[in-house]
């Protein structure tokens, strides 16, 4: 009888151990499956900014292609009208088109009304969970703001006097920014010519990227209207 009781106790102990092991194994499997779930992807703020910038750039490319198509169609119609009505020569029309292309490509100086934007790193204290990087101005931030200005109809843009063209490279390093291979310190001064109301909205609207930088991260962004802004042409000698 005694041996039988011992065997029963051993069996119960083994059963308890098996149940405990199965329970722990279930927990480990659940944790593993959760960690490999493709829906649970954690990225840093900088990676998030980079992804948002890539998406925004693709949208800008699509918008630019649509706009280019419309411009080509408009140009074709203008040539057809010249041939049909003979109200001006083909040469005159070509010169007008060349002047327009110089302006939008940055190879000609332009004067007009627009906005002046001043941008600097945040000076507030770090909040819980933040890193010093969160309070700095990055090249991605500048690019997003430039894209918003372009979408708002900016006819020309400069950063610290450097004309921004489609091939301009904008890179940041610490508290400086490099535009067209020239490095500038803060503050970063962006000038844009275009419809003043639309340009102001692209920076001050509650859903704008600039407003996000100001309200969430404390980045200093100030925008002012100006009736006469001069944008220098792009100098291709660097």
């Amino acid at each position: 009888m005694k041996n039988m009781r011992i065997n029963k106790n051993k069996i119960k102990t083994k059963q308890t151990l098996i149940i405990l092991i199965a329970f722990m194994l279930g927990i480990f499997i659940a944790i593993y499956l959760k960690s490999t779930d493709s829906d649970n992807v954690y990225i840093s703020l900088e990676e998030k900014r980079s992804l948002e910038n890539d998406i925004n750039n693709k949208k800008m490319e699509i918008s630019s292609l649509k706009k280019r198509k419309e411009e080509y169609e408009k140009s074709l119609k203008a040539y057809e009208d010249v041939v049909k009505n003979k109200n001006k020569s083909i040469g005159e029309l070509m010169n007008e088109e060349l002047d327009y292309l110089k302006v939008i490509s940055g190879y000609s100086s332009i004067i007009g009304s627009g906005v002046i934007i001043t941008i600097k790193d945040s000076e507030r204290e770090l909040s819980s969970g933040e890193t010093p990087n969160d309070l700095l101005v990055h090249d991605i931030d500048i690019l997003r703001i430039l894209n918003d200005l372009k979408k708002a109809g900016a006819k020309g843009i400069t950063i610290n006097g450097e004309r921004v063209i489609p091939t301009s490279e904008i890179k940041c390093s610490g508290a400086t920014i490099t535009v067209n291979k020239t490095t500038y310190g803060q503050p970063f001064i962006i000038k844009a010519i275009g419809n003043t109301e639309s340009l102001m909205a692209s920076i001050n609207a509650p859903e704008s990227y600039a407003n996000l930088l100001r309200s969430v991260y404390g980045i200093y962004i100030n925008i002012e209207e100006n009736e006469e802004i001069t944008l220098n042409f792009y100098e291709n000698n660097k």
Side-chain angles (χ1 to χ4, degrees):
M1 289 290 291
K2 187 176 181 181
N3 290 336
M4 189 177 293
R5 286 178 182 173
I6 292 172
N7 289 335
K8 285 182 178 180
N9 288 335
K10 286 183 177 180
I11 291 171
K12 287 182 179 180
T13 302
K14 287 181 179 179
Q15 288 176 339
T16 302
L17 286 172
I18 291 171
I19 292 171
L20 182 60
I21 291 170
F23 177 73
M24 295 298 294
L25 185 60
I27 292 175
F28 289 139
I29 291 173
I31 293 173
Y32 173 75
L33 290 175
K34 188 174 181 180
S35 67
T36 57
D37 187 354
S38 59
D39 293 333
N40 293 302
V41 179
Y42 301 94
I43 60 175
S44 66
L45 175 63
E46 194 166 346
E47 289 173 325
K48 181 175 180 294
R49 283 176 169 174
S50 179
L51 287 172
E52 287 177 344
N53 186 63
D54 289 342
I55 293 170
N56 196 59
N57 282 340
K58 293 301 178 185
K59 289 181 179 179
M60 284 293 297
E61 286 179 20
I62 293 171
S63 177
S64 177
L65 288 172
K66 287 181 179 178
K67 187 176 180 181
R68 190 178 301 175
K69 177 177 175 288
E70 291 172 358
E71 288 174 351
Y72 284 151
E73 289 174 345
K74 185 178 179 181
S75 178
L76 178 61
K77 187 177 183 306
Y79 278 102
E80 289 174 345
D81 289 343
V82 167
V83 173
K84 183 179 179 181
N85 302 321
K86 296 182 179 179
N87 54 354
K88 65 174 69 175
S89 69
I90 295 292
E92 289 174 328
L93 185 60
M94 290 179 69
N95 283 329
E96 289 177 6
E97 200 167 81
L98 179 61
D99 290 338
Y100 169 74
L101 290 173
K102 283 182 177 180
V103 169
I104 65 171
S105 62
Y107 285 90
S108 177
S109 299
I110 55 174
I111 300 174
S113 60
V115 296
I116 300 176
I117 306 163
T118 304
I119 304 175
K120 294 188 292 185
D121 292 339
S122 173
E123 295 182 354
R124 71 167 172 77
E125 296 293 326
L126 283 172
S127 299
S128 177
E130 289 184 331
T131 68
N133 248 355
D134 295 337
L135 307 187
L136 302 180
V137 178
H138 297 277
D139 43 16
I140 291 173
D141 301 325
I142 298 295
L143 288 169
R144 285 292 301 270
I145 290 173
L146 293 183
N147 286 340
D148 286 344
L149 290 170
K150 290 174 183 176
K151 285 192 289 185
K155 298 176 181 178
I157 300 173
T158 61
I159 301 177
N160 288 56
E162 289 286 339
R163 188 68 177 269
V164 176
I165 64 173
T167 57
S168 291
E169 290 186 1
I170 301 172
K171 298 178 181 178
C172 71
S173 178
T176 65
I177 191 169
T178 301
V179 186
N180 297 335
K181 298 181 181 179
T182 302
T183 302
Y184 299 93
Q186 296 192 28
F188 306 133
I189 309 296
I190 298 175
K191 294 182 180 180
I193 288 178
N195 182 283
T196 305
E197 188 176 338
S198 297
L199 296 176
M200 290 288 289
S202 72
I203 301 300
N204 288 332
E207 69 278 7
S208 70
Y209 186 75
N211 190 60
L212 169 71
L213 292 177
R214 274 188 304 212
S215 59
V216 177
Y217 304 107
I219 300 297
Y220 178 87
I221 300 178
N222 181 62
I223 181 169
E224 298 177 352
E225 298 182 31
N226 194 294
E227 290 300 318
E228 189 173 318
I229 296 175
T230 301
L231 303 184
N232 298 325
F233 62 88
Y234 170 71
E235 297 184 55
N236 189 20
N237 58 0
K238 299 178 182 180

